[in-house]
Amino acid sequence: MTRASFGYQRDVSITKPAGERTVWQELGTAGKRFVPWWFAVGVVVVLLGLLITKVLENTAFADADAGLDRWLEKQRTPTGETLTHIGTLFGETPTIIGLTAVTVVAFRLAFHRWRESVILAICVTGQAVIFLVTTILIDRKRPPVHHLDDSPPTSSFPSGHTAAA
């Protein structure tokens, strides 16, 4: 709604502009588009986890996998460990939540609509849900090598840091 004031037009509307979608409308649309894909990706990840932990458990694949872990452990250097530590910080839950929150706000301010913010938030949520469900269903112990951090021993499939990053 506009009105004339001292010879110029001024916007005095306190409602959202016509045609702008609310955050709830964007969430509904994104949910309809993304949830089926979450389910499909989740099924594939769980099936891969079952393949690795059940079907290929006592095979040459498992031996090669364990050999790769030991080889990687022998290749460690102080510089590599420092870089790994820095990379790990980017994949930690508080970092991901913080960066997502800041980016959601930045997208809203930059684009003046909810679409980009909602898509980012729903994608990060989706990866977290897939990770949590998969770790509940797949119990793969961490490899028997020296761990670089003090975090509690959690499952090694899938990698939460890799998914989050």
Coordinates of all heavy atoms in Angstrom, one line a residue, residues 30-78:
A30 N 10.3 -27.4 0.0 CA 11.6 -28.1 0.1 C 11.4 -29.5 0.7 O 12.1 -30.4 0.3 CB 12.5 -27.2 1.0
G31 N 10.6 -29.6 1.7 CA 10.3 -30.9 2.3 C 9.8 -31.9 1.3 O 10.3 -33.1 1.2
K32 N 8.9 -31.5 0.5 CA 8.3 -32.4 -0.6 C 9.4 -32.8 -1.6 O 9.4 -33.9 -2.1 CB 7.1 -31.7 -1.3 CG 5.9 -31.5 -0.4 CD 4.8 -30.8 -1.2 CE 3.7 -30.4 -0.2 NZ 2.8 -29.4 -0.9
R33 N 10.3 -31.8 -1.9 CA 11.3 -32.1 -2.9 C 12.5 -32.9 -2.3 O 13.1 -33.7 -3.0 CB 11.9 -30.8 -3.4 CG 10.9 -30.1 -4.3 CD 11.5 -28.8 -4.9 NE 10.5 -28.2 -5.7 CZ 10.6 -26.9 -6.1 NH1 11.6 -26.2 -5.7 NH2 9.6 -26.4 -6.8
F34 N 12.8 -32.7 -1.1 CA 14.1 -33.3 -0.5 C 13.9 -34.6 0.3 O 14.7 -35.4 0.3 CB 14.8 -32.3 0.4 CG 15.5 -31.2 -0.4 CD1 14.9 -30.0 -0.7 CD2 16.8 -31.4 -1.0 CE1 15.5 -29.0 -1.4 CE2 17.4 -30.5 -1.7 CZ 16.8 -29.2 -1.9
V35 N 12.8 -34.7 1.0 CA 12.6 -35.9 1.8 C 12.7 -37.2 1.1 O 13.3 -38.1 1.5 CB 11.3 -35.8 2.7 CG1 10.9 -37.1 3.4 CG2 11.4 -34.7 3.7
P36 N 12.0 -37.3 -0.1 CA 12.2 -38.6 -0.9 C 13.7 -38.9 -1.2 O 14.1 -40.0 -1.1 CB 11.4 -38.3 -2.2 CG 10.4 -37.3 -1.8 CD 11.1 -36.4 -0.8
W37 N 14.5 -37.8 -1.5 CA 15.9 -38.0 -1.8 C 16.6 -38.4 -0.5 O 17.6 -39.2 -0.6 CB 16.5 -36.7 -2.4 CG 16.0 -36.6 -3.8 CD1 15.1 -35.7 -4.2 CD2 16.4 -37.3 -4.9 NE1 14.9 -35.8 -5.6 CE2 15.7 -36.8 -6.0 CE3 17.3 -38.4 -5.1 CZ2 15.8 -37.4 -7.3 CZ3 17.4 -38.9 -6.4 CH2 16.7 -38.4 -7.5
W38 N 16.3 -37.8 0.6 CA 16.9 -38.2 1.9 C 16.7 -39.7 2.1 O 17.6 -40.4 2.5 CB 16.2 -37.5 3.1 CG 16.5 -36.1 3.4 CD1 17.4 -35.3 2.7 CD2 16.0 -35.4 4.4 NE1 17.4 -34.1 3.3 CE2 16.5 -34.1 4.3 CE3 15.1 -35.6 5.4 CZ2 16.2 -33.1 5.2 CZ3 14.7 -34.6 6.3 CH2 15.3 -33.4 6.2
F39 N 15.5 -40.1 1.9 CA 15.2 -41.5 2.1 C 16.0 -42.4 1.1 O 16.6 -43.4 1.6 CB 13.7 -41.8 1.9 CG 13.3 -43.2 2.1 CD1 13.1 -43.7 3.4 CD2 13.0 -44.1 1.1 CE1 12.8 -45.0 3.6 CE2 12.7 -45.4 1.3 CZ 12.5 -45.9 2.6
A40 N 16.1 -42.0 -0.1 CA 16.8 -42.8 -1.1 C 18.3 -42.9 -0.8 O 18.9 -43.9 -0.8 CB 16.6 -42.2 -2.5
V41 N 18.9 -41.7 -0.4 CA 20.3 -41.7 0.0 C 20.5 -42.5 1.2 O 21.5 -43.2 1.3 CB 20.8 -40.2 0.1 CG1 22.2 -40.2 0.7 CG2 20.8 -39.5 -1.2
G42 N 19.6 -42.3 2.2 CA 19.7 -43.1 3.4 C 19.7 -44.6 3.2 O 20.5 -45.3 3.8
V43 N 18.8 -45.1 2.3 CA 18.8 -46.5 2.0 C 20.1 -46.9 1.4 O 20.6 -48.0 1.7 CB 17.6 -46.8 1.1 CG1 17.7 -48.2 0.5 CG2 16.3 -46.6 1.8
V44 N 20.6 -46.2 0.4 CA 21.9 -46.5 -0.2 C 23.0 -46.6 0.8 O 23.8 -47.5 0.8 CB 22.2 -45.6 -1.4 CG1 23.6 -45.7 -1.9 CG2 21.2 -45.7 -2.5
V45 N 23.1 -45.6 1.7 CA 24.2 -45.6 2.7 C 24.0 -46.8 3.6 O 25.0 -47.4 3.9 CB 24.2 -44.2 3.5 CG1 25.1 -44.3 4.6 CG2 24.5 -43.1 2.5
V46 N 22.8 -47.1 4.1 CA 22.7 -48.2 5.0 C 23.0 -49.5 4.2 O 23.7 -50.4 4.8 CB 21.2 -48.3 5.5 CG1 20.9 -49.6 6.2 CG2 21.0 -47.2 6.5
L47 N 22.6 -49.7 3.0 CA 22.9 -50.9 2.2 C 24.5 -51.0 2.0 O 25.0 -52.1 2.1 CB 22.2 -50.9 0.9 CG 20.7 -51.1 0.9 CD1 20.1 -51.0 -0.5 CD2 20.4 -52.5 1.5
L48 N 25.1 -49.9 1.7 CA 26.6 -49.9 1.6 C 27.2 -50.3 3.0 O 28.2 -51.1 3.0 CB 27.2 -48.6 1.2 CG 27.0 -48.2 -0.3 CD1 27.4 -46.8 -0.5 CD2 27.9 -49.2 -1.1
G49 N 26.7 -49.8 4.0 CA 27.2 -50.2 5.4 C 27.0 -51.6 5.7 O 27.9 -52.3 6.2
L50 N 25.9 -52.2 5.3 CA 25.6 -53.6 5.5 C 26.5 -54.4 4.6 O 27.0 -55.5 5.1 CB 24.2 -53.9 5.3 CG 23.2 -53.4 6.3 CD1 21.7 -53.6 5.8 CD2 23.4 -54.0 7.6
L51 N 26.8 -54.0 3.4 CA 27.7 -54.7 2.5 C 29.1 -54.8 3.1 O 29.7 -55.8 3.2 CB 27.7 -54.0 1.1 CG 28.7 -54.6 0.1 CD1 28.2 -56.0 -0.3 CD2 28.8 -53.7 -1.1
I52 N 29.5 -53.6 3.6 CA 30.9 -53.6 4.2 C 31.0 -54.4 5.5 O 32.0 -55.1 5.7 CB 31.3 -52.1 4.4 CG1 31.5 -51.4 3.0 CG2 32.6 -52.0 5.2 CD1 31.6 -49.9 3.1
T53 N 30.0 -54.2 6.3 CA 30.2 -54.8 7.7 C 29.6 -56.2 7.8 O 30.0 -56.9 8.7 CB 29.4 -54.0 8.7 OG1 28.0 -53.9 8.4 CG2 30.0 -52.6 8.8
K54 N 28.8 -56.7 6.9 CA 28.2 -58.0 7.0 C 28.7 -58.9 5.8 O 29.2 -60.0 6.0 CB 26.7 -58.0 7.0 CG 26.1 -57.1 8.1 CD 26.5 -57.7 9.5 CE 25.8 -56.8 10.5 NZ 26.5 -56.9 11.8
V55 N 28.5 -58.5 4.6 CA 28.8 -59.3 3.4 C 30.3 -59.5 3.2 O 30.8 -60.6 3.0 CB 28.1 -58.8 2.2 CG1 28.4 -59.6 1.0 CG2 26.6 -58.7 2.4
L56 N 31.0 -58.4 3.3 CA 32.5 -58.4 3.0 C 33.3 -58.4 4.2 O 34.5 -58.2 4.1 CB 32.8 -57.1 2.2 CG 32.1 -56.9 0.8 CD1 32.4 -55.6 0.2 CD2 32.4 -58.1 -0.1
E57 N 32.7 -58.8 5.3 CA 33.4 -58.7 6.6 C 34.7 -59.6 6.7 O 35.7 -59.2 7.2 CB 32.4 -59.1 7.7 CG 33.0 -59.0 9.1 CD 31.9 -59.3 10.1 OE1 31.0 -60.1 9.8 OE2 32.0 -58.8 11.2
N58 N 34.7 -60.8 6.2 CA 35.8 -61.7 6.3 C 36.3 -62.0 4.9 O 36.5 -63.2 4.5 CB 35.4 -63.0 7.0 CG 35.0 -62.7 8.5 OD1 35.8 -62.0 9.2 ND2 33.9 -63.2 8.9
T59 N 36.6 -61.0 4.1 CA 37.0 -61.2 2.7 C 38.3 -60.4 2.5 O 38.8 -59.7 3.4 CB 35.9 -60.7 1.7 OG1 35.8 -59.3 1.9 CG2 34.6 -61.4 2.0
A60 N 38.8 -60.6 1.3 CA 40.0 -59.8 0.9 C 39.8 -58.3 1.0 O 40.7 -57.5 1.2 CB 40.4 -60.2 -0.5
F61 N 38.5 -57.9 0.7 CA 38.2 -56.5 0.8 C 38.4 -56.0 2.2 O 39.0 -54.9 2.4 CB 36.7 -56.2 0.4 CG 36.3 -54.8 0.6 CD1 36.5 -53.8 -0.3 CD2 35.6 -54.4 1.8 CE1 36.1 -52.5 -0.1 CE2 35.2 -53.1 2.0 CZ 35.5 -52.2 1.0
A62 N 38.0 -56.7 3.2 CA 38.2 -56.3 4.6 C 39.7 -56.3 5.0 O 40.1 -55.4 5.7 CB 37.4 -57.2 5.6
D63 N 40.4 -57.3 4.5 CA 41.9 -57.3 4.7 C 42.5 -56.1 4.1 O 43.4 -55.4 4.7 CB 42.5 -58.6 4.2 CG 42.0 -59.8 4.9 OD1 41.5 -59.7 6.0 OD2 42.1 -60.9 4.3
A64 N 42.1 -55.7 2.9 CA 42.7 -54.6 2.2 C 42.3 -53.3 2.9 O 43.2 -52.4 3.1 CB 42.2 -54.5 0.7
D65 N 41.1 -53.2 3.4 CA 40.7 -52.0 4.2 C 41.5 -51.9 5.5 O 42.0 -50.8 5.7 CB 39.2 -52.2 4.5 CG 38.6 -51.0 5.2 OD1 38.9 -49.8 4.8 OD2 37.8 -51.2 6.2
A66 N 41.7 -52.9 6.2 CA 42.5 -52.9 7.4 C 44.0 -52.6 7.1 O 44.6 -51.8 7.8 CB 42.4 -54.2 8.1
G67 N 44.5 -53.1 6.0 CA 45.8 -52.8 5.5 C 46.0 -51.3 5.2 O 47.0 -50.7 5.5
L68 N 45.0 -50.8 4.5 CA 45.0 -49.4 4.2 C 45.1 -48.5 5.5 O 45.9 -47.5 5.5 CB 43.8 -49.0 3.3 CG 43.7 -47.5 3.0 CD1 44.9 -47.1 2.1 CD2 42.4 -47.2 2.2
D69 N 44.3 -48.9 6.5 CA 44.3 -48.1 7.7 C 45.7 -48.1 8.4 O 46.2 -47.1 8.8 CB 43.3 -48.7 8.7 CG 41.9 -48.6 8.3 OD1 41.6 -47.6 7.5 OD2 41.0 -49.4 8.7
R70 N 46.3 -49.3 8.4 CA 47.7 -49.4 9.0 C 48.7 -48.6 8.1 O 49.6 -48.0 8.7 CB 48.1 -50.9 9.1 CG 47.3 -51.6 10.2 CD 47.8 -53.0 10.5 NE 47.7 -53.9 9.3 CZ 46.6 -54.6 9.1 NH1 45.5 -54.5 9.9 NH2 46.5 -55.4 8.0
W71 N 48.6 -48.7 6.8 CA 49.5 -48.0 5.9 C 49.4 -46.4 6.2 O 50.3 -45.7 6.3 CB 49.2 -48.3 4.5 CG 50.1 -47.6 3.5 CD1 51.4 -48.0 3.2 CD2 49.9 -46.4 2.8 NE1 51.9 -47.0 2.3 CE2 51.0 -46.0 2.1 CE3 48.8 -45.5 2.8 CZ2 51.1 -44.9 1.3 CZ3 48.9 -44.4 2.0 CH2 50.0 -44.1 1.2
L72 N 48.1 -46.0 6.2 CA 47.9 -44.5 6.5 C 48.5 -44.1 7.8 O 49.0 -43.0 7.9 CB 46.4 -44.2 6.4 CG 45.8 -44.2 5.0 CD1 44.2 -44.1 5.1 CD2 46.3 -43.1 4.1
E73 N 48.4 -45.0 8.8 CA 48.9 -44.6 10.1 C 50.4 -44.4 10.0 O 51.0 -43.5 10.6 CB 48.6 -45.7 11.1 CG 49.1 -45.4 12.5 CD 48.8 -46.6 13.5 OE1 48.8 -47.7 13.1 OE2 48.5 -46.2 14.7
K74 N 51.1 -45.3 9.3 CA 52.5 -45.2 9.1 C 53.0 -43.9 8.3 O 54.1 -43.5 8.5 CB 53.1 -46.4 8.4 CG 53.0 -47.7 9.3 CD 53.5 -48.9 8.5 CE 53.2 -50.2 9.3 NZ 53.5 -51.4 8.6
Q75 N 52.1 -43.4 7.6 CA 52.4 -42.2 6.7 C 52.2 -40.9 7.5 O 52.4 -39.8 7.0 CB 51.5 -42.2 5.5 CG 51.6 -43.4 4.6 CD 53.0 -43.9 4.3 OE1 53.8 -43.1 3.8 NE2 53.3 -45.1 4.6
R76 N 51.7 -40.9 8.7 CA 51.5 -39.7 9.5 C 52.7 -38.9 9.7 O 53.8 -39.4 10.0 CB 50.8 -40.1 10.8 CG 49.4 -40.6 10.7 CD 48.9 -40.9 12.1 NE 47.5 -41.5 12.0 CZ 46.9 -42.1 12.9 NH1 47.4 -42.1 14.1 NH2 45.7 -42.6 12.7
T77 N 52.5 -37.6 9.6 CA 53.6 -36.6 9.9 C 53.0 -35.6 10.8 O 51.8 -35.4 10.9 CB 54.1 -36.0 8.6 OG1 53.1 -35.2 8.1 CG2 54.6 -37.0 7.6
P78 N 53.9 -34.8 11.6 CA 53.3 -33.8 12.4 C 52.5 -32.7 11.6 O 51.5 -32.3 12.0 CB 54.6 -33.1 13.0 CG 55.6 -34.3 13.0 CD 55.3 -35.1 11.8

